[in-house]
Amino acid sequence: MPKFFIKTYGCQMNERDSEQVAHSLIERGYERSECESDADVVLLNTCSVRDMADQKALGKMGMLGRLATERRHVVFGFLGCMAQARGASLLKNLPHVDLIVGTQKFHRVADYVDQAVERKRNRAMDDPRFSIIDVEEEAGSQSTIRTQQLGPRQAAAFVSIMQGCNMHCTFCIVPQTRGAERSRTIEEIVAEVRELVSRGVKEVTLLGQIVNLYGRHEFPKIDRKSPFVQLLNAVHAVDGLQRLRFTSPHPIGFREDLIDAYRLLPKLADHLHLPVQSGSNKILKAMHRTYTAEKYVDLVGRVREARPGIAVTTDIIVGFPGETEADYQMTRQLAERVQFDNAFVFRYSPRRDTPAATMPDQVDERVKETRNHDLLEVVNGCARRINDRLVGRTFEVLCEGPSKTNPNRLMGRTRTNKIVVFENDTDIVGRFVDVRVERATGFSLYGTPVSTEAQTSMVAA
């Protein structure tokens, strides 16, 4: 039985796409491998949001060139965003690559792998190189990411509800790599969630590039509810589902109906990841973010009023072109005012063919590094203070499996998406467990289980 290996770079949508590919290959009789050196098919699902992600994938494929000379039957492929953006140009320095498959073609990867495996099996060693390249658009591709390979006792899953983005933030390459917004129907999504729940899934996360703009071009408002809020209500009604999450929304699409959802839908988890990107209105305008820092802060306040105790996390870019020290200080002040539970802080990375890449007043890399380090100190300090206040309390945790840093421990997440690590010799993976927190860092909570499954008195973290 041929084996395949997939390495995924980037966001949760890439992870979901990889699972779709894995499912289709397993259905064809391929076996999943945890190591590229043992695989007959090696696929890298790539990201282009930042240059670092590009370079990691290119470097990895370059290193695999030696494996290609030692095991000439092995098929190598690039999938996803970088494949979409660069296409055939990837072959210039990586001639051993056999597949280049874009973001609207994940459902065709199994066919292309079969073709590449068969060609390599049958061709003479001195035959010229061949490569399969497909980065074309395809109508209906948003509805092709609908099945996935679940692990043993997997209790949480991602569900793709749309593809693409129409916002055209000046720093972002996603509209070029993912295309325009395209949404699945509510009926399709609910059917997938029901099927996942029937297989033991207790928590789903709805995924979209700007998830709260779901269906705005395809479906009407009903009773003053946006298509996204209609979807939340429909998924919330699925019997057996116990937690519902979504990521990532945009402030511009966060209307009163979505705020009300936090009042009305108890399965909706107590966590909101809401990218702010900058605290300077000048920089937000240059980014084409279409809101102000003041409106962002007000929105967070209204969500916290609707759902007391909700955890709020964010994305922030430092060193965007034209960002002065005064602009950066506004971002720092916003972070201190909002008191995020966590934040992903990124140094601005120019992406080719985006407006920001050619803007004047590009910020020196040393300045970016200084601001990045300083802002991390602010947000990490806030996260530590918030988590310290949780010590001594007991929270409902959905156990996901062994901890990545210590396989002798288990880990799971609270309703606020905080990672909890705990020791237990009972097989509770995929179940809810009450955990008393005994120690905290800015990144994780550590504790001891006190009971399992649904309890009469659970405190939501």
Side-chain angles (χ1 to χ4, degrees), residues 325-342:
E325 182 61 25
D327 293 318
Y328 168 68
Q329 288 300 322
M330 293 176 189
T331 299
R332 195 181 196 278
Q333 291 161 14
L334 183 144
E336 291 175 332
R337 179 177 179 184
V338 173
Q339 294 287 289
F340 293 109
D341 287 70
N342 207 340

Side-chain angles (χ1 to χ4, degrees), residues 417-429:
N417 206 39
K418 294 187 184 294
I419 295 173
V420 183
V421 180
F422 50 95
E423 294 184 12
N424 200 300
D425 57 6
T426 305
D427 188 5
I428 58 172
V429 175

Side-chain angles (χ1 to χ4, degrees), residues 94-149:
L94 298 166
H96 61 283
V97 172
D98 303 290
L99 305 175
I100 298 174
V101 183
T103 57
Q104 299 188 32
K105 302 291 185 173
F106 289 108
H107 58 295
R108 301 198 180 278
V109 170
D111 289 336
Y112 294 148
V113 166
D114 279 348
Q115 293 174 30
V117 168
E118 188 65 21
R119 285 184 182 181
K120 282 206 163 184
R121 182 180 295 146
N122 294 331
R123 73 180 178 88
M125 287 300 186
D126 58 353
D127 277 358
R129 291 289 311 168
F130 67 89
S131 294
I132 298 171
I133 302 170
D134 189 353
V135 295
E136 300 301 315
E137 294 184 2
E138 181 165 338
S141 63
Q142 71 273 17
S143 296
T144 61
I145 309 299
R146 60 180 182 268
T147 55
Q148 55 188 296
Q149 197 68 28

